[in-house]
Amino acid sequence: MATDDLPEAFHVTTDEQLRAVSSLTRHRIMAVLRFEPATITQIAERVGLAKGSSSYHVRLLERAGLVKVVRTRKVRGVTERYYAMAARAIVLPDPGEGGPDVLMRHAVADLEASAKGGERHVRMAHLRLTEEQFAQLGVRLHALADEYRELSDPSLPDASLVFALFHPAPSEQAEQAEGDAK
């Protein structure tokens, strides 16, 4: 099953689904399945897990509807299952005021675990934008991510793109302004 055959988005709406995507291990399993189906053995090798642990986490993802079996084959009398993502993108609910953003926590963990000395482009910029500029930048960032997702080749090494465009809480802005003035 190619990623072209997948629905565009899967919206996480239940507690079970949220618990499933909240695990860094399951996040990494979904990253393996991002571009092509894989067996439990292949997933275990790519994520660095024991097959039993890999199987456990994949079952939780499958039960939550985030991954599914897309093909099976018999190998020496055993049925081998190939799993794939249930959709091209997983859409998480807004974490709410003060709630941790699961996606950002996983992105930071992945960044920290990335190869030392490898090429990385990390930048944080504080901007002052009109609401129109803010909205335009959001649209451009999404379009850029979509453009490069279309260029993705499963035979190439993984690269992760994460962005967050948001308005900080007003109290943070006031504290920052105070700190800058000193």
Side-chain angles (χ1 to χ4, degrees), residues 11-12 27 49 63 72 140 163:
H11 292 266
V12 171
H27 162 76
L49 290 174
R63 196 172 335 155
T72 60
R140 287 178 62 193
F163 61 85

Side-chain angles (χ1 to χ4, degrees), residues 73-91:
R73 70 178 192 154
K74 287 280 190 189
V75 178
R76 289 178 239 131
V78 176
T79 302
E80 191 172 59
R81 292 176 182 86
Y82 285 80
Y83 294 88
M85 294 298 299
R88 290 175 58 133
I90 304 297
V91 180

Side-chain angles (χ1 to χ4, degrees), residues 47-181:
V47 177
L49 290 174
K51 279 176 50 176
S53 293
S54 180
S55 179
Y56 167 78
H57 288 290
V58 169
R59 276 195 319 270
L60 288 176
L61 289 167
E62 184 180 23
R63 196 172 335 155
L66 296 159
V67 303
K68 61 184 179 178
V69 175
V70 292
R71 135 175 123 243
T72 60
R73 70 178 192 154
K74 287 280 190 189
V75 178
R76 289 178 239 131
V78 176
T79 302
E80 191 172 59
R81 292 176 182 86
Y82 285 80
Y83 294 88
M85 294 298 299
R88 290 175 58 133
I90 304 297
V91 180
L92 299 175
D94 184 340
E97 187 176 329
D101 191 312
V102 171
L103 182 62
M104 286 296 120
R105 285 198 324 253
H106 291 333
V108 168
D110 284 347
L111 177 63
E112 290 172 343
S114 66
K116 302 299 178 226
E119 185 176 5
R120 301 193 296 187
H121 303 274
V122 179
R123 178 168 183 202
M124 181 173 186
H126 296 280
L127 310 171
R128 299 213 174 195
L129 306 171
T130 66
E131 284 303 315
E132 183 179 340
Q133 290 169 326
F134 183 88
Q136 288 172 347
L137 181 55
V139 168
R140 287 178 62 193
L141 289 169
H142 281 277
L144 186 63
D146 290 343
E147 176 186 339
Y148 277 86
R149 184 175 63 183
E150 293 299 321
L151 296 173
S152 291
D153 179 343
S155 68
L156 297 174
D158 274 352
S160 292
L161 170 66
V162 178
F163 61 85
L165 177 63
F166 59 95
H167 291 290
S171 62
E172 289 174 277
Q173 290 173 349
E175 289 174 9
Q176 182 181 5
E178 275 181 36
D180 291 345

